[in-house]
Amino acid sequence: MAFYLVRAKVRPELLTELRNRLDGGEIGKLTPLVEKALAQARVDTGGIITWEEEDNDNPPLTKARKAVLD
């Protein structure tokens, strides 16, 4: 198991959509661990969102690679 500290620039126009998708459980159906991590994310004053992501895949990030590449 690996843990990653993820940082991303917030796109303010998509923040409401992300919140709605989290609250509606849509993201949790795809990957509950990411939903939990994003629900606990922090946004700093510079517009950077930070969260901790747990990865149980072997090799690491297998599901993420598949989701992005497919």
Side-chain angles (χ1 to χ4, degrees):
M1 177 181 340
F3 291 90
Y4 298 93
L5 185 61
V6 182
R7 297 183 68 202
K9 179 83 172 153
V10 174
R11 292 180 51 190
E13 70 275 13
L14 297 178
L15 200 52
T16 301
E17 178 185 347
L18 175 60
R19 172 56 44 204
N20 290 338
R21 293 175 75 183
L22 283 168
D23 292 345
E26 180 182 343
I27 293 174
K29 291 176 188 171
L30 300 172
T31 173
L33 292 176
V34 172
E35 179 181 46
K36 181 181 175 187
L38 285 174
Q40 297 173 355
R42 296 191 173 119
V43 180
D44 71 16
T45 55
I48 302 293
I49 186 169
T50 305
W51 70 93
E52 184 177 313
E53 182 134 354
E54 180 180 344
D55 184 18
N56 295 316
D57 295 338
N58 188 8
L61 301 174
T62 301
K63 290 178 194 148
R65 283 190 195 111
K66 183 177 179 182
V68 171
L69 296 175
D70 290 347

